[in-house]
Amino acid sequence: MNLDTSMGRQRAINTSGRFAAFASPDPEPQRIVLAAQDWIHMANAYCGDRFAEADGRSAMTVSAVDHGGFQHTIFSVIHGGATGEHRAEGYRLVPPAMYDGVTADFIDWRDPATVEARRRGDATGLLVRVKGRLLVCAKAVHFIRDLPSVPPMPLHEAKDFDVAARSMGWRAMAFNGADISWRSLNGHPVVIYQHPMQARYVSMLFWRSHSGIQEYCLPNALDASMFTEPVDVKAPQLMVKEDPIQLGLF
C-alpha cells in the first residue's frame, strides 16, 4: 500500500523481492514467548518516549536487542498483573535493502491522512538508527513474558524479602492482614496472599536476576495443582532436567 506523502518524508525501496516477508503493511504482530529474564532484557529496549517526541528532522535513534538473528526495538511495555499478560511491543529491524515496502523518516500522527492510512501506533516502514546504522521497522513483534528459566533462589531469602516489603506497595494497600502461605512452582518460591474478608488473592513468584530479587505476579487462572510444597536451598541449583510448567495463556 502506497502511503500519502503528507505522512512524512518517504523513500521507496526497490528490491528483487526475495525479502517479501518484510513487506508493508504487515497485518498481525508476531508473538514470541520469552523467559522472564530474557523478557526484562528485551523490555529494557523501550524507546516509546523517543517515538512520541520525534521531530521529523532526521531518523530517530533507538535502543535495540538481538533475538533470533535480528535486532528489535520496543515502543510500548504492558504490565498485566494477575489478570493479563506482560507484553513488550516493538518491531524487528532490518536494513533498508532487505525491506520490500515504502519507508518513512517520520510519522506525523496529527496529520488526518496518516490517521486514515495507518492503524493507530503502526510504525511499519519507519526508519530508525541503531548506533548510527539506518534500519527499518519491518515487522511488528509482541514479546510475551513467561516464567523465569534461571535456577530457583533460596526460600529463606524470598521470605526475608517478602517480610521487608509488607509495609509498602500492594501488600500494605490491598492485603493488609491477609492470610499468607508459601508454595513452589518449578522450584521457585511462591507466596500467596489471601484476603480474609474479600474474595481476592495474589500469588507472587520470586526469582533472582542480575539486578536483584524480582517479583513475578502469577495469573489468577493458574491451576492450584501446579504448585508444590516449597523446599529451601542454600544456594541456587541447576533446574531439574524435565519439562517446566508453562502458563499456557498464549
Side-chain angles (χ1 to χ4, degrees):
M1 179 176 66
N2 291 326
L3 305 179
D4 192 279
T5 55
S6 60
M7 294 177 63
R9 298 188 303 277
Q10 301 180 359
R11 305 172 184 173
I13 304 297
N14 296 319
T15 71
S16 63
R18 65 182 183 276
F19 298 112
F22 295 120
S24 174
D26 208 345
E28 295 297 333
Q30 180 182 0
R31 290 170 62 87
I32 299 176
V33 179
L34 296 178
Q37 70 275 10
D38 299 322
W39 185 88
I40 287 179
H41 183 53
M42 182 62 69
N44 285 339
Y46 172 76
C47 297
D49 52 345
R50 303 180 198 177
F51 186 35
E53 297 173 1
D55 57 17
R57 290 195 292 265
S58 62
M60 65 178 180
T61 298
V62 300
S63 300
V65 173
D66 182 79
H67 177 77
F70 291 97
Q71 290 189 306
H72 297 78
T73 191
I74 302 299
F75 287 153
S76 66
V77 178
I78 299 172
H79 297 276
T83 58
E85 64 187 15
H86 283 57
R87 188 168 70 246
E89 300 179 348
Y91 286 84
R92 182 168 299 140
L93 306 176
V94 301
M98 291 180 61
Y99 184 72
D100 186 22
V102 176
T103 62
D105 294 301
F106 176 61
I107 300 174
D108 186 359
W109 293 108
R110 300 165 297 181
D111 178 45
T114 300
V115 176
E116 182 178 351
R118 286 180 178 262
R119 292 174 299 177
R120 189 70 176 173
D122 180 19
T124 306
L126 180 66
L127 291 163
V128 297
R129 290 190 180 276
V130 177
K131 297 181 178 179
R133 183 186 182 194
L134 190 66
L135 298 170
V136 185
C137 294
K139 168 68 177 176
V141 181
H142 289 178
F143 292 96
I144 313 302
R145 188 190 69 166
D146 200 4
L147 293 172
S149 60
V150 297
M153 64 177 293
L155 175 62
H156 69 274
E157 291 186 9
K159 288 185 173 182
D160 290 343
F161 181 90
D162 180 69
V163 169
R166 287 181 187 171
S167 62
M168 64 192 81
W170 60 267
R171 293 170 174 84
M173 295 178 63
F175 289 92
N176 188 26
D179 296 328
I180 301 172
S181 59
W182 286 85
R183 295 292 185 270
S184 179
L185 181 63
N186 282 1
H188 299 285
V190 176
V191 65
I192 300 175
Y193 278 68
Q194 178 75 51
H195 199 287
M197 303 299 294
Q198 303 179 31
R200 71 170 187 265
Y201 68 94
V202 64
S203 303
M204 195 68 68
L205 179 147
F206 296 91
W207 63 284
R208 186 183 296 280
S209 72
H210 68 278
S211 59
I213 296 176
Q214 304 287 334
E215 294 184 324
Y216 185 118
C217 187
L218 296 170
N220 289 338
L222 190 65
D223 194 324
S225 64
M226 294 182 177
F227 294 122
T228 58
E229 289 298 319
V231 177
D232 204 357
V233 292
K234 293 183 179 180
Q237 299 175 351
L238 294 176
M239 297 285 286
V240 177
K241 290 186 177 180
E242 59 185 18
D243 292 336
I245 294 171
Q246 290 187 336
L247 299 189
L249 301 178
F250 328 118

